[in-house]
Amino acid sequence: MSGESMNWETLGFDYIKTDKRFLSTWRDGAWQPGELTEDNVLHISEGSTALHYGQQCFEGLKAYRCKDGSINLFRPDQNAARMQRSCSRLLMPHVPTEMFIEACKEVVRANERFIPPYGTGGALYLRPFVIGVGDNIGVRTAPEFIFSVFCLPVGAYFKGGLKPHNFKISSYDRAAPNGTGAAKVGGNYAASLMPGAEAKKQNFADAIYLDPQTHSKIEEVGSANFFAITANNEFITPQSPSVLPGITRLSLIELAGSRLGLKVIEGDVFVDRLGDFVEAGACGTAAVISPIGGIEYNDQLHVFHSLEDVGPVTVRLYNELTGIQTGDVEAPEGWIVKV
Ligand code: PLP
Ligand code: COI
């Protein structure tokens, strides 16, 4: 498929092979000079730790086409830093921030024809990852690693964009206390596949996980963070060591306080206190801001909004965030990196 023949308005979140991806190998204690390649198939040892022991991590960020034709990356330094933390947790070598951002820029430039035009609501999604590779069988860190970045054009992750969906509280855990919940590692997502599929089979957009220790507090959605708004104009989002520290979440915390004048609370969101909230949403790079219409818990659907209405604070947060990403609203210092 070529960029020219894409139907930008109907893009979802599906794999599309684009022209070039960045690839570098870590060998003998250093990252080798990376290169762009057309081949989207990796040739790795059958003993690779990524295949057996889940030694891998990934990131997700987007490139946006602006009105003036320029291209914005949104807070890539934050993704680089989070990937370094994920690598530390799984005993993998760090990708230096400069190398990470440069690789992202190279991939965007090499696939420019796949960037959805300004105004379509789409973006070029970048997927950097690090995997442990090389001949091995014991449970230990790999002898070699691959760092790669590929990209694809995407639209809404949850169908309809700024349209509410119902979510279901899962009885499964995605991460353990002192485990890897705060790292963006594949194992967390493997653990979420079955609960996520169960929720989707029952027509929910995704599963929401509770804190693994007490199962009384909302942690996050399988693919995004959770936030809620109270009638007193408070923005609340769960704080927990097993929640992924999302960059969208971090950005909304900053925008809610500094631009919308909301009181920001990072704390406990008790699942039996959903009545305290007038709006709720899922936020993330792929999800952007996806309003939550209702949450099913113990066979009861708690409704915040009908599936037609979006709360006013959610709309303001959405406009501020997406306006910054596409260059229409002034960005806080350092948030936008031009490609
Ligand atoms: N939580 C989970 C489990 C995610 O997969 C994501 C998406 O990356 C997020 C939260 C949100 O993180 P970010 O805003 O950095 O994309
Ligand atoms: C993202 O938003 O970047 C994610 O990683 C979420 C999901 C696609 C796994």
Side-chain angles (χ1 to χ4, degrees), residues 13 58-61 125 127 157 184 189 222-224 284-287:
F13 199 83
F58 68 97
E59 275 302 321
L61 69 161
Y125 181 75
R127 173 53 66 86
Y157 185 74
K184 200 162 169 63
Y189 295 84
S223 50
T285 300

Side-chain angles (χ1 to χ4, degrees), residues 48-91:
S48 294
T49 57
L51 298 178
H52 302 272
Y53 307 128
Q55 195 184 26
Q56 66 84 248
C57 67
F58 68 97
E59 275 302 321
L61 69 161
K62 283 175 172 171
Y64 306 84
R65 179 71 77 183
C66 304
K67 206 182 217 166
D68 65 5
S70 64
I71 305 164
N72 281 354
L73 285 177
F74 183 68
R75 310 191 80 175
D77 54 323
Q78 293 287 336
N79 293 93
R82 186 171 63 190
M83 192 152 97
Q84 289 159 7
R85 295 196 300 272
S86 299
C87 283
S88 288
R89 182 65 180 81
L90 296 199
L91 274 187

Side-chain angles (χ1 to χ4, degrees), residues 60 82 174 184 189 220-225 244-249 283-286:
R82 186 171 63 190
R174 73 178 272 286
K184 200 162 169 63
Y189 295 84
E220 63 184 317
V221 180
S223 50
N225 289 119
L244 186 79
I247 293 151
T248 317
R249 171 190 183 277
C283 63
T285 300

Side-chain angles (χ1 to χ4, degrees), residues 59-322:
E59 275 302 321
L61 69 161
K62 283 175 172 171
Y64 306 84
R65 179 71 77 183
C66 304
K67 206 182 217 166
D68 65 5
S70 64
I71 305 164
N72 281 354
L73 285 177
F74 183 68
R75 310 191 80 175
D77 54 323
Q78 293 287 336
N79 293 93
R82 186 171 63 190
M83 192 152 97
Q84 289 159 7
R85 295 196 300 272
S86 299
C87 283
S88 288
R89 182 65 180 81
L90 296 199
L91 274 187
M92 302 195 287
H94 284 189
V95 175
T97 301
E98 202 186 327
M99 178 179 174
F100 180 97
I101 295 178
E102 204 39 55
C104 290
K105 285 184 180 177
E106 276 186 42
V107 169
V108 173
R109 286 189 200 112
N111 296 289
E112 190 171 345
R113 69 195 184 98
F114 288 98
I115 305 176
Y118 171 82
T120 56
L124 191 72
Y125 181 75
L126 305 184
R127 173 53 66 86
F129 63 93
V130 174
I131 56 175
V133 296
D135 295 343
N136 177 69
I137 194 62
V139 180
R140 64 172 73 88
T141 190
E144 294 182 7
F145 297 87
I146 286 174
F147 165 55
S148 178
V149 184
F150 67 94
C151 70
L152 42 129
V154 298
Y157 185 74
F158 294 117
K159 240 176 163 225
L162 193 63
K163 179 184 168 317
H165 290 276
N166 291 335
F167 289 73
K168 181 187 170 77
I169 301 279
S170 177
S171 53
Y172 290 98
D173 299 327
R174 73 178 272 286
N178 302 327
T180 55
K184 200 162 169 63
V185 301
N188 297 337
Y189 295 84
S192 77
L193 289 177
M194 192 172 68
E198 272 180 18
K200 285 167 200 160
K201 210 164 112 193
Q202 295 167 32
N203 277 327
F204 295 99
D206 204 347
I208 292 180
Y209 297 90
L210 299 180
D211 72 293
Q213 211 145 28
T214 71
H215 293 133
S216 64
K217 296 175 267 186
I218 288 184
E219 293 243 300
E220 63 184 317
V221 180
S223 50
N225 289 119
F226 177 89
F227 71 87
I229 309 293
T230 68
N232 300 327
N233 275 329
E234 291 160 329
F235 173 97
I236 179 158
T237 184
Q239 171 132 15
S240 154
S242 42
V243 163
L244 186 79
I247 293 151
T248 317
R249 171 190 183 277
L250 176 72
S251 305
L252 292 183
I253 285 172
E254 295 174 34
L255 296 174
S258 67
R259 300 218 175 157
L260 270 68
L262 304 175
K263 182 173 173 208
V264 173
I265 303 167
E266 290 179 76
D268 293 335
V269 177
F270 289 98
V271 68
D272 60 0
R273 298 296 302 265
L274 294 179
D276 292 352
F277 309 121
V278 290
E279 299 177 36
C283 63
T285 300
V288 193
I289 292 180
S290 190
I292 297 180
I295 295 180
E296 192 192 86
Y297 177 53
N298 285 344
D299 296 327
Q300 300 269 330
L301 184 70
H302 178 93
V303 176
F304 299 102
H305 270 281
S306 81
L307 295 184
E308 313 310 321
D309 292 333
V310 183
V313 180
T314 302
V315 172
R316 285 174 66 207
L317 284 168
Y318 180 90
N319 289 340
E320 193 71 24
L321 177 73
T322 57

